[in-house]
Amino acid sequence: MEFKKESLLSQWKKKKENKQSGHTITKAPKSSYFPLSNGQERLWFLQQLYPGNPFYNYTEYYTFKGILRLDYLQASLLLVLEEHEILKASFIYKDGKVSQLVNSNLAVPVALFDTSTLGETDKEQKKKEILDRAANIHFELSAPPLMRITVLKEEIDKHIMVIVMHHIIVDKWSMAIFMERLSHHYRTFLVKGTSEASIPEIQYTDYAYWQRKATIPEDQLEYWKNQLAGDIPTLDLPFDHTKPLKSTFKGALISRKFPKELSNSLLHTAKEMEVTPYVLLLSVYYILLYKYSGQEDIFVGTPISNREQKILEGVIGFFNETLILRAQLSTELSFDKLIRQVRKITMDAFQNKNVPFEILVKELKPNRSLSDNPFFQTMFLYHTETPLPSFGSEVEIEQSLFDLGISKFDLTLYFAENEEGLSATFEYNTDLFLATTMNRMHDHLLLLLQAVVADPTINISKIPILTAEERRIIFMDSSPQKNPWSNSRGIHDIIMDTARHNPNSIAVVADGTSISYAQLLEESDELAKRIVSYTQGRKEIIALALPRTTSLIVGMLGILRSGCAYLPIDTEYPTPRIGFMIADAKVPLILTQTALRSKFETFKADQMYVDGLEPVLKPGVLPTNDLQDMAYMIYTSGSTGQPKGVPISHGNIINSTVGRLDFYTENPASFLLMSSISFDSSKAGIFWTLCTGGTLVLSQKHLEQDLEKMADTILKYTVSHTLMLPSLYKLLLENVAREKLKSLKTVIVAGEICTPQVVETHFEKLDSTALYNEYGPTEATVWCTAHKIEAKDVSGKIPIGKPVAGAKILLLDQHLNLVPFGAVGTMYVTGPGLSGGYWQRPDSTAQVFMANPFSEDPGEKMYYTGDLGRYRNDGAILFLGRRDQQVKIRGHRIELAEIENLLLAYPTVKDAVVHLENGSKDSKHNPILNPDPEQLIQFMSTILDDEEADELLSGIENLTTFQKDYLLEQLENLKV
């Protein structure tokens, strides 16, 4: 290896030994008031911003087994307070300045509880109540003592002690000192019946005074300016919920112990690579974050105890400083090279740690937010657990992890090492993550650790991270189980067979007229013969250009029965677009009506009229179809260039329709078709309904513009099923009487993002109607995922569901690696619904239809959708917008569609489009970049819910000046 022989620890010790004697800490001048250290000032400030929140309570939990002398414990506690003045400190804000005051003759009460006489159930419940109340106490920093001790007697020989202090007076190192001194005095009392305080040479107030007088090393400040230069990206963690505008710091802990064998292997690997376990495990954490976020520039915070001088090693107080560790990752990076990088950035950070975090914020001026740390969203900690001090031979002591229900950051990973091996704990924000996500994160972490132990030179992009369960869900067979049409060779054969079995049933209703299945069969047969007499049996693409009448469906079926494929053309399309499609598809014949003769006579294609049919003198034999034959072709919108034809085979559309029999519990008795026949979404209603004997109701042109008329149509024809845009469905629900919609059994929304507002409105108005969300590009034949929406889905993004109709959805990174659950990936589709490619565009086809690297069939293709998604814990996919609709602003990934949806949720906004422009950096003349604070607060109140708005805004007049200024600064930084 290329690592230096000198260990991180030895270098750190040498650096401490080289400290100049002029930096030695001496006693502060005598005074009643002392300055706060930089770290204390930060904690005090944060506590003022979040009054009443116990997020900076420091809690430790101990169990004593044996005979515990409570009188000796209390007496020992008083002696520890006498030794360490910081434990008697309070913090006074006066004349714009905060000072700490050491209070003399201060006692810390020990709250005693006895549950030993209760039954087991009552005992556990009472225990939880007592300990939760003790740990979540609110400390008023101006009212000492900032420490509480609770002792609970569970049995005559079993006690629990919970020590709670505000972090402003203690850190983890200090707690070890506290317990050592407490146990020392307790043992002395046991032996002698008395004990005496031993006052340290230096108190924490001396350190705070010295630190505030010290100058900031210019070379260290320059290091951090260089290290943190450029954009500070926000880490894209796999949140389950939308991040609130203001953090509540609600949290939880989930821990796991690693097998002894793996723990030993990790420690051995670290030794072999000549790094500390801290560096090795931090490197693995970077890989985990890289796998989740797909980002290459990753910031992680880590605490360090700032006790450079030996004289401070026995002093209790808050010495923690926060270091920012910035790593650069890439797919070309191997683990051993990452190790070297992390070792260097860690060592450099430790060597430049004398710049307080607050100074970095002030100097670098990062973008601020009430929901995020200015530099990082995740922390990493590693510590070696030392044996607990003895409280004498009559009692054994154990320490346990205590979950405070708090998370200071979005995510924190703690590694601990003890005699039993390594363990990992995730502290996570419960406003953002579910417990199931954290358990899965533990699974991913374990896989990474096992991989780097097996091969420390492995490329980080090749490290497997998907669990067996995730692979099972991703590659689960979604092929339909119900397939009554397995022998059919054409979609029209199924419709014809249905018509023969239901001749008198109404097949199609349009504009007040209807035709039976027998009429549909008869008229399409006559039309098919006429088409065959024209094509002479050639399988052509025939344009279908008819208004929304029963003749439209007759024409469609007639073309299919002639062995040809139809190209649907909306008669209202602009002439140039129609001309392009007819020419591009090489259409020889346009099936239309006499009233539209003039619209199509300029095109190089013959016309045939459905309303001018004459008996065919020499009818040809209707040809048979193969599943590979084209059934129809849909042209894409052309929003990113010229429209491209997507040929859909009979096999494609049969498979798609069979999938509906499998996924939906009930076939449509009456389906209201809102979509234009030129959109692929129309095929869901047309073929599903006609293949199963239902009635297809063609909506009148622009029916969506008259909601009452739409509702009347649903009522008149007892419509059971329909598919429409979620935004249109929401308008329908909000503006028509519920009674008119009571026949609806199934509503499908598709074509745009389904918002929680749509779902909420649906369950308020039509809670007995099943609501489904479908997704699928034209290239995948109408749909490839679907989700039955439940009322509980309203709390987050609405899933597009799991694969259907034999499809598989692969979420891949830019290097075509499967992303883990929770991570964002680009959606690729494969399966029997996939089109063979674009019509006569081999280059375009090759760009997005590519070999499926996860298939054993070398000929199987997958389609690049350009859509972003991620797996929810249950395997359902969440749609996250188009890759080309996402932008980054100052390192933040912004989904323009989500902003549009937020605006659309506002009652007076009818439509919204968000567009990114590069504006001038001079904000003096830009009222948006320099909003009036009151206007900004008013705007913020419109996008927060009532509870959040009240919390953020109602008490603004009661805030101190610095609190109000800070709040306004944060709101302004949002730059709405």
Side-chain angles (χ1 to χ4, degrees):
M1 296 293 178
E2 300 178 9
F3 301 115
K4 296 179 181 179
K5 296 293 184 183
E6 194 174 19
S7 72
L8 182 64
L9 180 60
S10 64
Q11 291 183 57
W12 186 245
K13 286 181 176 178
K14 180 183 290 185
K15 185 174 187 296
K16 292 173 69 176
E17 292 168 359
N18 291 336
K19 287 292 174 183
Q20 297 179 4
S21 60
H23 287 195
T24 301
I25 298 172
T26 58
K27 297 292 290 182
K30 288 187 175 181
S31 173
S32 299
Y33 297 93
F34 295 90
L36 278 64
S37 68
N38 290 308
Q40 283 182 314
E41 191 168 79
R42 176 172 74 249
L43 297 190
W44 185 89
F45 181 76
L46 288 169
Q47 192 67 77
Q48 307 315 302
L49 279 176
Y50 300 92
N53 195 317
F55 67 143
Y56 272 109
N57 283 7
Y58 187 98
T59 303
E60 292 207 349
Y61 180 105
Y62 298 92
T63 301
F64 294 91
K65 295 180 180 179
I67 305 303
L68 182 66
R69 291 287 302 268
L70 294 177
D71 53 341
Y72 286 170
L73 186 68
Q74 289 177 300
S76 300
L77 174 61
L78 290 174
L79 290 173
V80 177
L81 261 66
E82 186 178 343
E83 291 174 341
H84 296 275
E85 294 178 350
I86 188 66
L87 300 177
K88 298 184 286 185
S90 58
F91 298 83
I92 310 301
Y93 181 69
K94 185 177 181 181
D95 299 329
K97 181 181 178 182
V98 188
S99 301
Q100 53 185 318
L101 171 66
V102 176
N103 302 272
S104 59
N105 301 320
L106 184 69
V108 175
V110 177
L112 302 175
F113 297 91
D114 188 348
T115 61
S116 60
T117 59
L118 299 177
E120 286 302 316
T121 302
D122 292 338
K123 180 183 293 187
E124 283 302 312
Q125 182 178 347
K126 190 67 175 177
K127 172 183 171 181
K128 185 178 186 308
E129 291 175 1
I130 292 169
L131 299 185
D132 284 348
R133 185 166 62 248
N136 288 282
I137 186 173
H138 164 58
F139 289 111
E140 177 58 54
L141 297 184
S142 62
L146 302 181
M147 174 170 59
R148 299 288 189 275
I149 294 181
T150 300
V151 176
L152 173 64
K153 180 181 179 182
E154 282 197 292
E155 306 290 347
I156 191 170
D157 58 352
K158 182 181 179 183
H159 292 75
I160 292 172
M161 179 173 70
V162 175
I163 304 173
V164 186
M165 302 188 199
H166 196 282
H167 226 323
I168 202 168
I169 63 171
V170 74
D171 56 20
K172 190 169 188 63
W173 183 315
S174 298
M175 186 55 77
I177 299 170
F178 178 90
M179 289 301 293
E180 191 280 324
R181 297 307 299 160
L182 188 67
S183 65
H184 166 79
H185 291 302
Y186 185 89
R187 292 195 309 271
T188 304
F189 274 115
L190 286 175
V191 175
K192 298 181 179 180
T194 185
S195 187
E196 295 182 359
S198 176
I199 309 299
E201 181 182 351
I202 291 294
Q203 293 288 336
Y204 185 81
T205 49
D206 301 320
Y207 164 77
Y209 179 84
W210 169 82
Q211 187 194 55
R212 299 312 290 259
K213 294 294 184 182
T215 57
I216 303 300
E218 287 295 329
D219 59 331
Q220 293 193 26
L221 182 58
E222 190 62 26
Y223 164 81
W224 288 111
K225 286 182 177 179
N226 292 330
Q227 182 69 5
L228 304 178
D231 286 337
I232 308 295
T234 297
L235 186 62
D236 292 332
L237 290 168
F239 298 147
D240 296 300
H241 306 295
T242 302
K243 176 173 281 196
L245 292 175
K246 181 182 178 182
S247 179
T248 62
F249 302 100
K250 295 176 183 176
L253 302 176
I254 290 185
S255 302
R256 283 193 194 175
K257 291 182 178 180
F258 297 121
K260 183 71 172 178
E261 183 180 355
L262 176 60
S263 297
N264 291 339
S265 296
L266 286 165
L267 297 175
H268 176 74
T269 301
K271 186 176 180 180
E272 286 289 306
M273 302 184 80
E274 299 183 341
V275 295
T276 62
Y278 172 92
V279 169
L280 184 140
L281 296 170
L282 173 58
S283 300
V284 173
Y285 190 43
Y286 272 120
I287 298 174
L288 182 69
L289 298 175
Y290 170 71
K291 294 278 188 180
Y292 284 141
S293 68
Q295 294 168 278
E296 298 184 345
D297 188 9
I298 298 178
F299 289 66
V300 173
T302 193
I304 184 173
S305 186
N306 207 347
R307 298 171 186 258
E308 287 187 337
Q309 300 187 36
K310 189 173 183 61
I311 198 171
L312 296 175
E313 290 180 355
V315 177
I316 291 179
F318 182 72
F319 290 88
N320 282 1
E321 190 51 77
T322 302
L323 298 182
I324 306 160
L325 305 178
R326 183 180 195 175
Q328 303 288 336
L329 288 82
S330 67
T331 53
E332 294 77 25
L333 194 64
S334 61
F335 181 67
D336 56 339
K337 290 181 179 178
L338 175 62
I339 281 276
R340 289 196 284 273
Q341 180 192 159
V342 173
R343 183 179 188 272
K344 183 179 187 311
I345 63 174
T346 302
M347 192 64 217
D348 288 347
F350 286 176
Q351 291 175 345
N352 291 277
K353 70 182 185 66
N354 292 319
V355 181
F357 187 81
E358 299 72 27
I359 300 298
L360 290 179
V361 174
K362 183 178 180 181
E363 289 287 333
L364 297 173
K365 296 180 174 61
N367 294 306
R368 305 300 303 274
S369 163
L370 289 174
S371 62
D372 277 327
N373 181 280
F375 291 108
F376 54 85
Q377 289 76 53
T378 184
M379 290 278 283
F380 177 85
L381 294 87
Y382 177 91
H383 70 276
T384 301
E385 296 178 1
T386 56
L388 293 172
S390 170
F391 277 74
S393 59
E394 295 182 349
V395 66
E396 293 180 0
I397 180 172
E398 297 175 356
Q399 184 176 9
S400 304
L401 198 64
F402 190 83
D403 191 343
L404 292 172
I406 289 170
S407 180
K408 300 180 189 68
F409 300 93
D410 295 349
L411 186 66
T412 299
L413 174 59
Y414 299 86
F415 273 100
E417 178 188 349
N418 59 27
E419 293 179 351
E420 297 179 358
L422 293 169
S423 63
T425 298
F426 280 109
E427 178 184 279
Y428 64 98
N429 189 312
T430 52
D431 285 334
L432 304 177
F433 297 102
L434 296 172
T436 48
T437 298
M438 290 299 105
N439 280 313
R440 189 181 64 241
M441 200 172 285
H442 268 298
D443 293 338
H444 293 156
L445 180 63
L446 180 61
L447 288 171
L448 292 176
L449 293 170
Q450 291 170 335
V452 300
V453 164
D455 180 9
T457 65
I458 190 172
N459 186 295
I460 65 172
S461 66
K462 302 299 182 184
I463 300 177
I465 192 172
L466 266 70
T467 65
E469 177 63 13
E470 287 173 331
R471 287 186 173 275
R472 185 192 68 79
I473 292 174
I474 291 172
F475 295 107
M476 184 185 295
D477 184 13
S478 59
S479 300
Q481 301 301 309
K482 303 173 185 176
N483 188 0
W485 309 318
S486 57
N487 296 323
S488 300
R489 312 304 295 171
I491 189 69
H492 55 282
D493 293 334
I494 302 171
I495 298 174
M496 291 162 56
D497 186 61
T498 299
R500 295 187 188 102
H501 285 86
N502 303 276
N504 298 321
S505 298
I506 300 299
V508 186
V509 173
D511 200 20
T513 62
S514 63
I515 58 171
S516 67
Y517 273 95
Q519 290 174 293
L520 177 63
L521 197 62
E522 179 182 353
E523 292 181 20
S524 63
D525 180 71
E526 188 68 25
L527 177 60
K529 292 175 181 177
R530 187 172 181 86
I531 294 172
V532 169
S533 70
Y534 174 86
T535 63
Q536 296 298 304
R538 297 185 303 276
K539 295 183 177 180
E540 306 278 10
I541 300 175
I542 296 177
L544 177 63
L546 288 165
R548 298 174 69 84
T549 64
T550 56
S551 295
L552 177 66
I553 304 304
V554 170
M556 179 202 76
L557 190 57
I559 293 172
L560 291 172
R561 294 184 66 184
S562 74
C564 295
Y566 71 92
L567 171 65
I569 292 179
D570 191 316
T571 57
E572 294 188 348
Y573 275 171
T575 300
R577 180 177 173 86
I578 296 175
F580 170 81
M581 291 191 294
I582 288 175
D584 186 70
K586 297 181 173 54
V587 169
L589 180 67
I590 302 171
L591 183 64
T592 185
Q593 62 183 21
T594 53
L596 296 172
R597 182 197 307 264
S598 60
K599 186 174 183 67
F600 301 106
E601 61 187 6
T602 59
F603 304 127
K604 294 181 179 179
D606 296 325
Q607 296 187 42
M608 182 178 291
Y609 309 110
V610 293
D611 54 350
L613 294 180
E614 296 178 359
V616 181
L617 299 178
K618 296 181 179 181
V621 177
L622 298 182
T624 58
N625 282 95
D626 290 322
L627 292 176
Q628 296 78 17
D629 289 342
M630 189 194 309
Y632 61 87
M633 186 155 69
I634 296 286
Y635 271 83
T636 61
S637 65
S639 59
T640 56
Q642 274 195 336
K644 297 184 290 289
V646 181
I648 300 299
S649 69
H650 282 273
N652 291 150
I653 188 59
I654 289 174
N655 174 79
S656 177
T657 307
V658 168
R660 296 189 177 278
L661 306 186
D662 194 57
F663 181 77
Y664 289 98
T665 57
E666 194 171 359
N667 295 324
S670 177
F671 192 104
L672 175 62
L673 184 68
M674 298 294 301
S675 308
S676 165
I677 195 173
S678 297
F679 296 159
D680 68 328
S681 60
S682 67
K683 311 309 178 227
I686 293 172
F687 293 116
W688 186 17
T689 305
L690 296 180
C691 286
T692 57
T695 299
L696 183 67
V697 180
L698 301 182
S699 67
Q700 293 182 5
K701 184 169 62 177
H702 306 312
L703 182 63
E704 69 278 0
Q705 297 178 11
D706 190 335
L707 297 174
E708 281 296 335
K709 196 169 185 179
M710 187 192 306
D712 290 339
T713 301
I714 292 171
L715 181 64
K716 179 179 180 180
Y717 296 108
T718 321
V719 171
S720 65
H721 291 57
T722 189
L723 183 153
M724 62 182 70
L725 293 171
S727 55
L728 176 60
Y729 181 54
K730 183 171 182 285
L731 288 173
L732 181 68
L733 291 172
E734 291 174 338
N735 291 280
V736 302
R738 177 179 180 175
E739 284 300 307
K740 291 188 176 182
L741 306 177
K742 63 182 180 181
S743 65
L744 288 173
K745 295 183 178 180
T746 297
V747 173
I748 304 167
V749 292
E752 62 187 23
I753 293 175
C754 178
T755 65
Q757 291 85 2
V758 176
V759 175
E760 189 173 16
T761 307
H762 166 82
F763 282 101
E764 287 175 356
K765 193 78 172 275
L766 292 179
D767 59 340
S768 61
T769 300
L771 180 63
Y772 296 86
N773 192 23
E774 286 189 7
Y775 162 85
T778 302
E779 292 83 349
T781 312
V782 186
W783 69 332
C784 56
T785 72
H787 175 72
K788 184 176 182 180
I789 300 174
E790 307 289 348
K792 63 184 179 181
D793 290 327
V794 75
S795 62
K797 287 181 179 292
I798 309 303
I800 56 173
K802 299 179 180 180
V804 292
K808 285 184 175 60
I809 309 298
L810 305 173
L811 299 185
L812 308 181
D813 63 20
Q814 58 182 330
H815 303 285
L816 301 186
N817 295 313
L818 289 164
V819 301
F821 275 36
V824 177
T826 302
M827 297 171 62
Y828 291 76
V829 184
T830 186
L834 198 62
S835 168
Y838 295 117
W839 174 254
Q840 296 186 337
R841 281 177 174 65
D843 291 343
S844 297
T845 298
Q847 288 176 5
V848 293
F849 289 87
M850 57 195 72
N852 179 5
F854 305 97
S855 173
E856 296 179 357
D857 179 0
E860 183 175 309
K861 299 290 185 181
M862 64 180 186
Y863 169 68
Y864 166 81
T865 66
D867 293 332
L868 297 174
R870 69 178 180 93
Y871 284 104
R872 202 169 67 167
N873 288 316
D874 61 356
I877 297 170
L878 299 172
F879 176 81
L880 302 179
R882 294 283 302 169
R883 178 169 289 281
D884 52 16
Q885 285 184 323
Q886 287 200 344
V887 297
K888 281 205 171 183
I889 302 174
R890 297 188 299 278
H892 295 254
R893 190 177 72 188
I894 306 296
E895 296 175 13
L896 300 183
E898 287 214 354
I899 301 175
E900 291 173 357
N901 288 330
L902 179 63
L903 294 172
L904 289 170
Y906 198 69
T908 59
V909 176
K910 296 302 181 186
D911 204 354
V913 175
V914 177
H915 177 67
L916 179 68
E917 292 185 356
N918 292 321
S920 167
K921 292 184 178 180
D922 179 9
S923 63
K924 292 181 179 179
H925 305 293
N926 191 334
I928 295 179
L929 295 184
N930 271 323
D932 174 78
E934 294 303 324
Q935 290 180 349
L936 184 52
I937 290 175
Q938 181 62 36
F939 179 82
M940 293 299 289
S941 69
T942 66
I943 61 173
L944 295 171
D945 62 35
D946 291 342
E947 184 177 346
E948 291 172 329
D950 287 344
E951 180 183 356
L952 188 61
L953 303 176
S954 63
I956 195 167
E957 295 304 324
N958 298 323
L959 297 177
T960 63
T961 301
F962 81 88
Q963 287 176 309
K964 189 170 181 179
D965 290 345
Y966 180 79
L967 177 60
L968 295 180
E969 177 189 345
Q970 303 320 305
L971 295 181
E972 288 175 349
N973 278 333
L974 291 172
K975 291 187 171 46
V976 179

